[in-house]
Amino acid sequence: MKKLTLLVAAALISCLTFAQAPIKVAFVGNSITQGPGRENPDSYPLQVGSLLGDSYEVKNFGVSGRTMLRKGDYPYWNEPQFQEAKNFHPDVLLIKLGTNDSKPQNWAHKEDFVKDYLDMIAEFRENMPKDGKIYIIIPVPVTKVNFGINPEIMHNEQRLMLFDIIQKSGAEVIDLYTPLMDKPELLPDGVHPNKEGLTIMAQVIARRIMM
C-alpha cells in the first residue's frame, strides 16, 4: 500500500511538472529581430515575452544582415543560431526573414526564395512537437532604399511569395506591414523600427500568439 501511495504521488508530481512547463517560443530573423541585442529587453521578441508572462519561455535567435536565401550573401542557414533554434525545440516558431533578400545581389536568386523558405519550415517542423505552430511574419514596411534593401521588391514581389509560402506550408501569418504602413516616423532609417515601432510589433505578435 505504501509503495502504491508513493507511485501515485510521483505520478501526480510528474503531471504537475509537465502541466507547468512553459510554452517555448522562438524568434528567427535578421537585424530587426535581433534589435538592439538578442538579450536586450527592448528587442521585440523579449517585449513579446514580457507581454506573454511566465507561462512562456521566449528566445531571440535573430542575426543581423541574414537572408533566407541559401545563395544570399549571408544566409541564416549558416549561422549557429539556426541550429540553436532547432535545438530549443520550440512549441511556437516565428520567422521574419526576407528584408535582406531584397538586395540586388541576393534577389538575383529570387527563384529559390519560396523553396528555401519551405525547406527551412520543414527543418524546423522536424524539431517541434506535432501540434507546434509556425508563424510567417510579413515584414515591416521599408520606406526608402537603404543598405541596398529595395522596398519595391519587398512590397510588390516578395509579399506575394510569402502568402504563397503560407498557403503551401500550412503556416499561420502575422502581418507587421499594416500596423507600421502609415508610420514612417517610426522607421528613422527607412528599414529599422525605433523603440516605439518595436513595441507596436510586440503587441501585435503577443495578441496573435494568445488567440
Side-chain angles (χ1 to χ4, degrees):
M1 186 67 177
K2 186 176 180 181
K3 286 184 179 179
L4 181 60
T5 303
L6 288 172
L7 285 171
V8 171
L12 285 171
I13 290 169
S14 176
C15 288
L16 286 170
T17 302
F18 179 77
Q20 292 170 358
I23 298 167
K24 294 190 286 186
V25 181
F27 284 84
V28 166
N30 48 43
S31 59
I32 298 172
T33 299
Q34 180 177 313
R38 278 187 289 272
E39 303 300 326
N40 191 306
D42 287 342
S43 69
Y44 79 81
L46 295 196
Q47 289 195 55
V48 169
S50 295
L51 291 168
L52 293 177
D54 293 340
S55 57
Y56 292 81
E57 180 185 1
V58 175
K59 296 277 188 182
N60 183 348
F61 295 100
V63 185
S64 179
R66 270 45 190 179
T67 67
M68 170 57 74
L69 285 162
R70 286 186 172 103
K71 294 178 183 176
D73 48 8
Y74 299 105
Y76 189 85
W77 297 85
N78 299 343
E79 298 304 313
Q81 285 78 13
F82 179 42
Q83 188 60 49
E84 289 168 11
K86 290 190 287 185
N87 292 344
F88 183 53
H89 301 294
D91 302 294
V92 179
L93 173 74
L94 300 99
I95 305 176
K96 188 186 182 300
L97 287 166
T99 302
N100 293 303
D101 296 86
S102 73
K103 297 176 182 178
Q105 70 271 24
N106 297 324
W107 205 240
H109 307 289
K110 66 180 180 179
E111 68 277 2
D112 297 332
F113 186 75
V114 171
K115 182 181 184 303
D116 286 351
Y117 216 124
L118 291 172
D119 286 350
M120 183 176 283
I121 289 171
E123 280 206 34
F124 274 117
R125 281 206 167 114
E126 290 175 1
N127 295 273
M128 295 175 68
K130 288 184 178 179
D131 59 350
K133 283 190 176 183
I134 295 179
Y135 293 93
I136 292 175
I137 294 177
I138 307 300
V140 299
V142 173
T143 60
K144 62 183 177 182
V145 176
N146 202 358
F147 312 107
I149 293 164
N150 189 315
E152 292 300 317
I153 285 171
M154 289 193 64
H155 301 168
N156 299 328
E157 295 184 56
Q158 194 182 107
R159 288 180 73 212
L160 294 176
M161 291 182 180
L162 289 173
F163 283 108
D164 184 35
I165 292 161
I166 290 162
Q167 184 176 29
K168 288 177 176 176
S169 67
E172 301 190 39
V173 62
I174 294 179
D175 175 18
L176 292 184
Y177 179 87
T178 303
L180 296 179
M181 182 174 59
D182 298 321
K183 298 179 173 63
E185 70 279 5
L186 302 186
L187 300 142
D189 63 3
V191 175
H192 298 92
N194 61 15
K195 185 176 179 180
E196 184 180 349
L198 293 172
T199 298
I200 291 172
M201 293 167 64
Q203 292 169 342
V204 171
I205 293 168
R207 282 196 300 269
R208 186 74 173 88
I209 290 174
M210 290 187 291
M211 283 176 62

